[in-house]
Amino acid sequence: MDGGGSDHGGEHGSRGARCPPSAASKRKARLTCRFTTGTIRIEPDGRHVTLPRLGTIRVHEPARGLLDRVRTGTARILSATVRHERGRWFVSFQTEVKREIHRVARLDTTVGIDLGVKTLAVMADSSGEIREVPNPRHLDNALKLLRRASRVVSRRQGPDRRTGRKPSRRWEKANAARNRVHHRVANLRADALHKLTTAVTAEYGTVVIEDLNVAGMLRNRRLARRIADAGFGEIRRQLVYKSHQRHATRVIVADRWYPSSKTCSGCGAVKAKLPLHIRTYECDACGLVIDRDDNAARNLAALAAAAATGTGVAGDQDTAKVSKPRGADQKTRATRPRRKAGAGRAGGATLPHQRQTETRDRTQTEALTLW
């Protein structure tokens, strides 16, 4: 539903312009519907669900696990959402579950995770062990099939919005075959990321990750496809909610400008520049020679001790978001000076009690919605 506009007050009480309501697009909107009242239950056989206005529907995947929890009283269904995604219809239940916190295998061990394209993740823990998770590259492996399927689609008579032409049956069949390739890639990627994040949160007591600017990294046209295929943002999202809800472990997010690759993990010396094509880190101060990704993972793991004790290579740190040791790499936006209002302009004079403040970058808090 479209809501009306609202008035936004300015810094000194001035009123802004009323925003017109924006119409929702039929083509970009996702087919979804949510039920919060009415009959929402799982049938005793575990293969059928009953929803309001839709009746009893058979599901492809059995829901006996949720049914057993509802029967024993450890779960309560709050709402149900039906959506169309990847060529199939899904129904998801928002439940209130009584879940116990599981202790991790190595509670006193800290791991630093450095994400990359050549290697998906390099994990260095506080005991000195370094692991590498290879990048499966699901999209690259399916590019040959996607090109072939796209050529078949281009030879068919597709839809035309300008003339109102409808697609042919052969085009719809070829487009469905191409979509199945995309859906398989997405499912393989989601399965691999869930297995990785579940294993990490179940083993380590403290996880240190980077605050990567994924949107800015996607502007690199040479690496955009591989960066999008790796799913850096999804890895961080899964690590955060799995660690807090399932294992009660601590997640530390390093500052976006923290030079984890440029800092020597042995002596703490920081290089001025380190190009991306240089894959081996050589310290000019202590002579340490180490892989670039291994060095970054070890620096991230060291931030956990610095955040807890206030000492270490990175200096005093914050447990929620670790700051960088030096501020020479960060680009700051120049603030525009305020224009002084003339005395002869009606309402333009600034009162003495009104405080002038500079325009700064505001931190935006992200809300985490769990379904």
Side-chain angles (χ1 to χ4, degrees):
M1 297 178 63
D2 298 334
S6 59
D7 294 335
H8 302 279
E11 185 177 358
H12 299 292
S14 61
R15 296 177 61 119
R18 182 178 294 274
C19 301
S22 58
S25 174
K26 296 181 180 180
R27 303 175 184 87
K28 297 181 180 180
R30 177 178 296 181
L31 299 178
T32 179
C33 179
R34 183 182 181 187
F35 301 99
T36 57
T37 59
T39 304
I40 304 175
R41 68 170 181 267
I42 302 175
E43 297 301 328
D45 58 353
R47 299 306 299 264
H48 295 78
V49 297
T50 301
L51 300 176
R53 300 185 65 87
L54 297 180
T56 303
I57 304 174
R58 188 180 187 276
V59 293
H60 179 75
E61 184 180 359
R64 295 188 181 92
L66 180 57
L67 179 62
D68 295 340
R69 284 180 171 270
V70 173
R71 287 177 175 176
T72 56
T74 58
R76 185 168 63 95
I77 298 177
L78 303 179
S79 64
T81 304
V82 179
R83 72 183 188 279
H84 184 267
E85 184 178 351
R86 301 176 184 176
R88 296 181 180 181
W89 289 95
F90 295 87
V91 55
S92 58
F93 296 94
Q94 183 184 13
T95 60
E96 184 180 1
V97 182
K98 181 181 179 181
R99 177 179 295 172
E100 298 181 357
I101 301 297
H102 300 278
R103 294 184 61 87
V104 298
R106 304 163 64 183
L107 183 61
D108 299 333
T109 307
T110 303
V111 62
I113 302 178
D114 179 72
L115 302 177
V117 175
K118 183 179 179 180
T119 304
L120 180 59
V122 177
M123 300 182 296
D125 54 23
S126 55
S127 63
E129 183 182 1
I130 299 179
R131 302 180 186 178
E132 292 186 359
V133 179
N135 190 357
R137 299 186 179 182
H138 301 293
L139 182 59
D140 288 348
N141 298 333
L143 281 180
K144 186 176 181 180
L145 295 178
L146 284 176
R147 293 191 185 101
R148 183 182 303 173
S150 298
R151 284 197 299 266
V152 176
V153 173
S154 63
R155 297 191 184 108
R156 304 293 185 257
Q157 182 177 345
D160 193 349
R161 293 173 53 187
R162 295 174 298 178
T163 61
R165 183 182 64 187
K166 295 183 179 180
S168 63
R169 293 291 182 86
R170 300 181 68 191
W171 184 91
E172 293 179 349
K173 183 178 179 181
N175 188 44
R178 181 178 60 178
N179 290 338
R180 282 194 295 269
V181 180
H182 280 290
H183 300 159
R184 175 175 172 78
V185 171
N187 293 332
L188 289 174
R189 183 189 300 114
D191 179 72
L193 296 185
H194 273 291
K195 289 180 179 178
L196 172 61
T197 54
T198 301
V200 170
T201 54
E203 182 177 359
Y204 300 101
T206 303
V207 180
V208 185
I209 56 178
E210 293 180 297
D211 184 17
L212 298 176
N213 184 15
V214 182
M217 297 169 64
L218 292 177
R219 298 176 184 175
N220 187 348
R221 60 183 181 88
R222 297 183 179 180
L223 298 176
R225 186 180 66 199
R226 291 181 173 85
I227 292 174
D229 187 24
F232 294 159
E234 183 65 15
I235 292 177
R236 174 182 173 180
R237 187 190 70 86
Q238 293 181 11
L239 285 175
V240 170
Y241 86 81
K242 289 182 181 180
S243 60
H244 287 286
Q245 295 186 0
R246 299 181 182 180
H247 306 285
T249 58
R250 186 175 60 159
V251 175
I252 300 177
V253 180
D255 189 81
R256 179 170 296 182
W257 302 99
Y258 173 68
S260 59
S261 300
K262 300 178 183 179
T263 305
C264 178
S265 58
C267 63
V270 181
K271 284 193 174 184
K273 292 183 179 180
L274 186 63
L276 189 61
H277 67 274
I278 299 179
R279 307 309 305 172
T280 303
Y281 183 88
E282 299 180 1
C283 182
D284 300 332
C286 64
L288 176 66
V289 179
I290 190 175
D291 184 79
R292 176 195 183 107
D293 298 334
D294 297 350
N295 179 68
R298 291 177 60 180
N299 287 326
L300 292 175
L303 284 181
T309 61
T311 60
V313 175
D316 294 338
Q317 308 296 344
D318 187 9
T319 56
K321 190 172 183 181
V322 182
S323 59
K324 60 173 185 175
R326 61 192 187 96
D329 295 338
Q330 186 174 3
K331 296 181 180 179
T332 57
R333 184 175 61 183
T335 57
R336 181 178 300 177
R338 290 184 175 274
R339 183 176 59 184
K340 295 183 179 180
R345 182 179 177 181
T350 304
L351 298 180
H353 67 277
Q354 293 178 345
R355 184 178 180 182
Q356 299 285 344
T357 58
E358 295 182 356
T359 304
R360 300 182 182 272
D361 295 336
R362 300 179 181 178
T363 57
Q364 182 178 1
T365 58
E366 298 180 359
L368 181 62
T369 305
L370 301 178
W371 294 91

